């Protein structure tokens, strides 16, 4: 029988709620994901939560399958209330299920660049919504992974995981410093393509060589000059209105699909 927790004061509820804070995520090496769709996608990739919280009395075949899989894997399914799920997720209208997952590996060295012709790289990305959207783009275009350079927003924050719509489990993530990334990149094949305003090269007129590593800079500042200088190619998206640039995630998607079309 599943355990039932209905008290906000329960120590486990406090411990899980702490995972909304970056420091506690790092200490516990775990993170939260919410929603039956996201957790089902995680299960389909072989990732199961250690703890699964769901509203008592909820009947859904996907939830039943998820509970069985978690328990068979040695995890625990816990029935609780919608109010407690709201506290765990930080939303007034929470999903009916929240999972506690072990943190995913983020080492750069194990990435196999031969698994895809497209890779995404983001430098000092600050917005969790942008990070989640870039992960979704990576999943959509079949990117081999996303490499986060420098002080990026935590990809395991509740907001980033939510924005990824499950892509956090399907697109490998690596974190690295710029110098370490360049050393790794130059040790094998790979064209580094930077999104930049400091070029006249239209992204539609450029030549892309697989594997292409598409580098997006910080939302406010773009690529630093030395990062841009290290790229094999700089491209820009023409802007016909008054705005001088697109949102970082949107720009990544636009050029990502162009690269996919060329390599397809």
């Amino acid at each position: 029988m599943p355990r039932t927790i209905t008290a906000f004061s329960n120590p486990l509820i406090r411990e899980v709620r702490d995972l909304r804070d970056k420091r506690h995520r790092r200490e516990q090496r775990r993170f939260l994901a919410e929603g039956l769709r996201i957790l089902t996608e995680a299960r389909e990739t072989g990732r199961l939560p250690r703890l699964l919280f769901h509203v008592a009395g909820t009947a859904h075949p996907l939830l039943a399958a998820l509970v069985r899989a978690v328990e068979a894997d040695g995890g625990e399914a816990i029935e609780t209330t919608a109010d407690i799920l709201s506290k765990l997720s930080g939303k007034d209208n929470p999903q009916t299920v929240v999972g506690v997952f072990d943190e995913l590996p983020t080492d750069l060295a194990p990435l196999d660049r031969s698994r895809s012709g497209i890779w995404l790289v983001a430098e000092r990305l600050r917005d969790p919504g942008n990070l989640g959207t870039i992960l979704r783009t990576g999943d959509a275009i079949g990117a081999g992974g996303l490499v986060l350079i420098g002080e990026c927003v935590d990809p395991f924050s509740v907001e980033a995981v939510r924005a990824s719509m499950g892509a956090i489990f399907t697109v490998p993530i690596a974190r690295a410093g710029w110098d370490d990334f360049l050393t790794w990149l130059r040790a094998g094949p790979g064209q580094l393509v930077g999104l930049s305003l400091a070029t006249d090269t239209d992204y539609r007129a450029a030549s892309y060589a697989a594997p292409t590593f598409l580098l997006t800079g910080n939302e406010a500042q773009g690529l630093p000059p030395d990062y841009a200088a290290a790229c094999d190619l700089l491209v820009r998206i023409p802007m016909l209105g008054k705005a001088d640039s697109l949102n970082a995630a949107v720009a990544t998607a636009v050029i990502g699909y162009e690269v996919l079309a060329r390599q397809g």
Side-chain angles (χ1 to χ4, degrees):
M1 293 292 291
R3 180 160 45 140
T4 300
I5 297 178
T6 58
F8 289 103
S9 59
N10 186 284
L12 182 59
I13 297 301
R14 293 200 299 268
E15 179 180 315
V16 172
R17 187 168 181 259
D18 283 344
L19 291 175
R20 288 165 51 191
D21 179 79
K22 183 177 181 178
R23 177 174 64 86
H24 289 286
R25 287 195 298 275
R26 286 182 171 177
E27 290 175 353
Q28 297 187 39
R29 299 188 65 82
R30 292 183 172 185
F31 68 99
L32 295 174
E34 61 176 315
L36 188 55
R37 174 183 172 183
I38 291 179
L39 268 65
T40 296
E41 290 190 7
R43 175 174 64 83
E44 291 172 350
T45 66
R47 300 283 183 182
L48 290 167
R50 296 291 92 212
L51 297 171
L52 178 69
F53 294 87
H54 61 99
V55 175
T58 301
H60 194 289
L62 289 179
L63 177 58
L66 191 57
V67 169
R68 289 194 298 270
V70 168
E71 293 179 337
D73 192 55
E76 185 177 12
I78 299 170
E79 292 186 338
T80 188
T81 67
D83 287 341
I84 287 181
L85 283 189
S86 178
K87 291 293 184 183
L88 296 182
S89 70
K91 292 178 66 178
D92 292 333
N93 54 338
Q95 301 279 345
T96 57
V97 60
V98 171
V100 178
F101 288 82
D102 292 332
E103 187 173 284
L104 305 177
T106 58
D107 295 331
L108 180 64
L111 293 183
D112 178 9
R113 69 184 74 200
S114 68
R115 72 188 299 262
S116 176
I118 307 173
W119 293 75
L120 303 180
V121 187
E123 183 263 333
R124 291 179 300 140
L125 202 65
R126 299 298 191 188
D127 184 83
N130 279 339
L131 193 152
T133 302
I134 287 175
L135 281 171
R136 291 175 69 182
T137 296
D139 180 84
I141 65 176
L146 169 63
V147 182
L148 300 176
I149 304 296
E151 291 298 320
C152 287
V153 64
D154 184 3
F156 302 114
S157 69
V158 173
E159 296 81 7
V161 173
R162 184 182 296 146
S164 81
M165 294 296 292
I168 188 81
F169 297 107
T170 62
V171 180
I173 296 174
R175 295 193 265 198
W178 176 245
D179 291 340
D180 289 339
F181 167 69
L182 272 186
T183 298
W184 175 84
L185 178 67
R186 299 311 182 194
Q191 179 193 37
L192 185 58
V193 178
L195 283 63
S196 175
L197 297 176
T199 181
D200 293 327
T201 302
D202 189 312
Y203 78 101
R204 296 165 297 185
S207 297
Y208 301 104
T212 300
F213 288 80
L214 189 56
L215 173 61
T216 304
N218 172 265
E219 293 98 335
Q221 300 171 338
L223 290 179
D226 54 333
Y227 287 31
C231 290
D232 301 305
L233 173 67
L234 295 177
V235 297
R236 68 180 296 155
I237 298 173
M239 305 296 295
L240 304 183
K242 293 184 177 180
D244 63 358
S245 64
L246 291 175
N247 167 275
V250 173
T252 299
V254 168
I255 301 182
Y257 271 102
E258 181 69 16
V259 174
L260 177 64
R262 299 289 189 86
Q263 294 182 356

